[in-house]
DNA sequence: TTCATTGCAAAACGTTTGCATGTAT
DNA sequence: ATACATGCAAACGTTTTGCAATGAA
């Protein structure tokens, strides 16, 4: 008979799968990111978990490790602080950010991979392109341009 | 008979055209960026012009003003410090960065504007997209992936 | 003359690191 | 028991700011 596990199963597995020890702080951090289903700024995370789960230095260290392992994705949304998203249950996608209110919309079907292949094909100095940054900026309907 | 001007004419005009006073430091800074024809990191600029043209605080202030006016373009190449490019004599383009040696290749014909229009058309919350960040990362031929 | 611009120094900010303690394996 | 993970505090590098002096118009 199998031991019954909780909703964090996928998180625990992703940690073990990358050779990380399963600690309360890491599970809580990943759970927070997974539940959010949108990019959280480091400051969001620090604020939410201050005193509860992890020290700020540990949050930075952990997010860095998790990003290297591909369990989270780090992105720069031009806000001055890094944002992170939980990746295991989401396909690769980009974001559209309102530079007034900060609302973020996912862009699921973006043909950037084709562009990337074209870029690699046309490049003189590069053959190996392994990643890209792509974010769009605008004003959402609630924040008409000034 | 017209007064003969120097090679900085375009620079002086772009400054005047945006209501800036024409100072030696600004002309030198723009000349440096124009001549480079590639993104320079702020630290490149500080190093090059230390003691000669401008104080570091003034460089930051000036680049920020020039970016707001559209005379230079600020970009984040994931190096930890902002990069700037002189824009008046170049069409909009993106970059391909070697994450080993830092070499930067321009990408001139990138179909991103079409993507941007599509993104705007498909968005629920946004109608107005006014800019995007797009940079590609890879290894150049001199820096084979480890 | 007037107001934008600059230098200098200090501060603010996000992020990283050293080290002793704690904890998952 | 061992190596990895964490908290705390201090350091770090980048960027911003206050203010008095300078310089372009």
């Amino acid at each position: 008979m199998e031991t019954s596990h909780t909703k964090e199963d996928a998180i625990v597995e992703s940690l073990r799968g990358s050779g990380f020890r399963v600690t309360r702080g890491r599970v809580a951090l990943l759970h927070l990111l997974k539940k959010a289903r949108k990019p959280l700024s480091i400051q969001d995370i620090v604020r939410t978990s201050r005193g509860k789960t992890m020290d700020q230095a540990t949050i930075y260290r952990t997010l860095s490790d998790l990003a290297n392992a591909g369990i989270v994705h780090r992105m720069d949304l031009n806000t001055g602080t890094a944002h992170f998203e939980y990746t295991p249950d989401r396909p690769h996608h980009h974001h559209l950010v309102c530079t007034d209110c900060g609302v973020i919309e996912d862009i699921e079907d973006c043909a950037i991979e084709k562009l990337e292949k074209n870029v690699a094909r046309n490049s003189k100095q590069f053959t190996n392109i392994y990643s890209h940054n792509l974010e769009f900026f605008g004003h959402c309907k609630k924040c008409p341009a000034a």
Side-chain angles (χ1 to χ4, degrees), chain A:
Chain A
M1 161 186 167
E2 273 186 35
T3 306
S4 156
H5 288 280
T6 65
K7 55 185 190 276
E8 276 89 358
D9 264 5
I11 287 172
V12 170
E13 276 162 31
S14 65
L15 284 171
R16 286 208 208 289
S18 294
F20 293 113
R21 290 191 177 172
V22 179
T23 67
R24 193 182 317 144
R26 283 175 177 162
V27 172
L29 176 55
L30 282 176
H31 192 245
L32 175 66
L33 280 169
K34 185 181 183 187
K35 220 177 33 178
R37 288 189 75 74
K38 67 172 183 180
L40 296 183
S41 77
I42 290 213
Q43 294 312 317
D44 290 338
I45 297 167
V46 169
R47 229 175 291 121
T48 303
S49 49
R50 171 160 297 150
K52 296 179 199 165
T53 44
M54 277 181 154
D55 176 77
Q56 166 163 324
T58 307
I59 293 178
Y60 275 96
R61 263 188 293 236
T62 301
L63 286 171
S64 183
D65 293 341
L66 295 173
N68 286 338
I71 300 172
V72 302
H73 179 234
R74 164 192 263 132
M75 74 204 72
D76 176 358
L77 263 25
N78 280 6
T79 60
T81 185
H83 283 66
F84 291 85
E85 220 176 17
Y86 180 76
T87 57
D89 59 356
R90 306 287 308 279
H92 174 76
H93 60 279
H94 298 97
H95 301 95
L96 175 46
V97 182
C98 179
T99 47
D100 273 8
C101 71
V103 68
I104 300 171
E105 183 172 304
D106 291 337
I107 301 165
E108 301 281 357
D109 294 309
C110 183
I112 185 71
E113 274 72 24
K114 273 188 197 167
L115 286 192
E116 185 170 296
K117 280 188 191 117
N118 260 325
V119 167
R121 195 161 25 239
N122 294 332
S123 169
K124 290 172 196 164
Q125 304 174 75
F126 288 77
T127 48
N128 173 17
I129 299 181
Y130 63 85
S131 76
H132 55 261
N133 284 350
L134 174 58
E135 314 300 339
F136 295 94
F137 302 93
H139 296 283
C140 72
K141 291 173 182 170
K142 291 181 178 173
C143 298

